[in-house]
Each structure stands twice: as C-alpha cells, then as structure tokens.
Amino acid sequence: MTSTPTTAPLTTTAALTRIRLNRRSPAARRDLTDAVSLHKSVMLLAPDNLGENPRQQAGLLFRLEDATDDTPPTLLVQSHQPPDLTRLPHDYGSAETRPLHPMFQALTPGRAVRYRITANASAARRVLDDHQPVDNKHGRKIVALYGDDALAWWQRRAHQAGLTLATTDITPARFPRRRRRADKPGEQTHSPGPLHALTRFDGLATITDPHQLSHALLTGIGRGKPYGAGLLTLAPA
C-alpha cells in the first residue's frame, strides 16, 4: 500500500504589534511625514546580525493607520518573533503584541473574512521614449495604478493569495519621501525620492486556499514593503 505524499507545513510563527504613536514624540512626528525615517524606526525592531535582507529575515511588514476620533495614528508591525520594543525612541508610543498562530489555524476554505491591506498597486510598463528614465535594463518603468486599474491589480493579487473578493473599498493614499537637508558641513543634501503611491483596500472575502493565503500573510503582497506597503490583515466577518 502506497502512502500519499504530504507537503511540509508552512511555518506560521508570527506576531502582530500595535503601536499607538505619541504625537508629542519628535521621533513619532518625524515618522508620520517621512517614509524613510519610518522605515528606519521599524528596522530597529529587527534583531542584529541578520545578514543580507534583514527585513525579510525578521519577517517585518508594517502599515501606518490614520488617526480616528478614538485613537491616535497607529503603526502595525508584523514580525516572525515578538519585537524588542525597548529599542524604539523614548516615548514613541504605547504598544501591545499578540501572537498570530491562532489566526493561521483558523484559515479554512470557505471561511468569510474582513481584510485590509495598504498596497503599492503598480505595474511595469515598457518605455518607448529614449529620454525617459527607466527602472531596469529591460526598458520598463514602474508606474503607479489608480482607480479601476488599482482595483484590477488587487483582484488579481487577492486571487493569487487564496482569496475570493466579495466587496472592496478603495482609499487612495500617498506617503512622500521628503528632501533631507545636510546634517553636517560638507555633507550632500539627499535628493527627494519618488512618491510611494499607496492604496488601501478594505472589504469582505472568502478563503479559497489557506496555504497560499498563509504565504501572502507572512511575506506581504506587492512592491514597496520597506515603505509600509504589503501587510495584509484579516478579521472574522
């Protein structure tokens, strides 16, 4: 009698940290206006000596949530292990961490969920004008997608991630990289980088492939992960 081959289970060790930012903190105020600065603050939560690609090694994904009437701006950070919050700047904010293992166990086909993701909806387009700068040697430029194009992008990505969408609300958002002045005499001023076009997608969906969904939850979706894009979060519908 032959046995049916099995697939090794995907590691689902992860934690989600919710940091309610203190707007009296100079570091928090700076991070609310500067994507590069925010990235550096998040990277403080990664352990040292991770070698190349420390963000990926630590499983760091994050999303900045806008303030509401009841809560201040909130930073959500997902990581393989609970982060050392003492490494954040003094009075940066109040934080709480919870394990995500129960969520991964609850991912079953046919289950309805609420989802949220702030993503860098974008595509590589061929550039025909020789004078237009390109992003790679293949003559393609990464362009941001908006409106129906952004929605179509998310529908494709959600399907690949094991979700069938029922509803989708779109909230455009842009997170600028501002120009930095030279800090020391003789130091060059950093030129401003491109705007990171972010779009928030919220809605209801049904799980179709828990394995693919687990992979998307752990690794993120789309480009721009160092700048707060790609973190998919779920809640019971």
Side-chain angles (χ1 to χ4, degrees), residues 185-237:
E187 188 177 59
Q188 291 186 346
T189 299
H190 298 282
S191 60
L195 288 177
H196 296 280
L198 302 181
T199 303
R200 196 182 78 192
F201 302 96
D202 298 90
L204 296 171
T206 301
I207 298 173
T208 55
D209 189 326
H211 183 81
Q212 288 296 108
L213 183 54
S214 294
H215 185 269
L217 287 164
L218 287 167
T219 60
I221 296 175
R223 298 181 174 92
K225 297 181 185 72
Y227 300 104
L231 172 61
L232 173 64
T233 54
L234 303 177

Side-chain angles (χ1 to χ4, degrees), residues 16-233:
L16 184 69
T17 301
R18 187 181 301 271
I19 307 172
R20 292 176 174 83
L21 299 181
N22 175 15
R23 280 179 284 196
R24 295 183 178 181
S25 162
R29 290 199 306 271
R30 180 189 64 227
D31 288 353
L32 287 170
T33 60
D34 188 338
V36 175
S37 177
L38 180 59
H39 166 74
K40 290 179 179 178
S41 293
V42 171
M43 288 306 299
L44 293 173
L45 301 175
D48 296 328
N49 304 317
L50 288 182
E52 294 184 1
N53 302 317
R55 187 195 61 77
Q56 293 94 319
Q57 293 293 331
L60 282 177
L61 297 167
F62 67 96
R63 181 172 77 230
L64 187 62
E65 305 257 281
D66 292 335
T68 67
D69 292 339
D70 301 320
T71 61
T74 300
L75 179 62
L76 296 180
V77 181
Q78 183 176 292
S79 53
H80 288 327
Q81 302 294 333
D84 181 1
L85 297 170
T86 64
R87 302 182 66 168
L88 288 173
H90 179 64
D91 287 339
Y92 190 75
S94 60
E96 57 186 19
T97 300
R98 63 181 177 89
L100 291 178
H101 186 66
M103 180 196 69
F104 285 103
Q105 289 183 316
L107 301 181
T108 54
R111 179 163 189 170
V113 294
R114 294 184 180 274
Y115 67 82
R116 172 172 289 183
I117 181 171
T118 296
N120 177 220
S122 58
R125 300 281 171 81
R126 186 173 296 280
V127 176
L128 300 179
D129 184 355
D130 292 338
H131 299 289
Q132 189 172 357
V134 297
D135 294 296
N136 55 57
K137 64 183 179 181
H138 303 294
R140 292 181 179 271
K141 182 176 179 62
I142 305 301
V143 298
L145 303 176
Y146 301 95
D148 290 342
D149 289 336
L151 176 59
W153 177 93
W154 168 234
Q155 290 172 332
R156 291 192 301 270
R157 290 305 186 99
H159 177 74
Q160 295 167 359
L163 288 174
T164 295
L165 302 182
T167 65
T168 302
D169 293 325
I170 299 179
T171 305
R174 288 190 179 188
F175 206 147
R177 290 178 65 181
R178 72 181 183 199
R179 182 184 295 273
R180 288 181 171 275
R181 296 179 179 178
D183 295 325
K184 300 177 182 178
E187 188 177 59
Q188 291 186 346
T189 299
H190 298 282
S191 60
L195 288 177
H196 296 280
L198 302 181
T199 303
R200 196 182 78 192
F201 302 96
D202 298 90
L204 296 171
T206 301
I207 298 173
T208 55
D209 189 326
H211 183 81
Q212 288 296 108
L213 183 54
S214 294
H215 185 269
L217 287 164
L218 287 167
T219 60
I221 296 175
R223 298 181 174 92
K225 297 181 185 72
Y227 300 104
L231 172 61
L232 173 64
T233 54

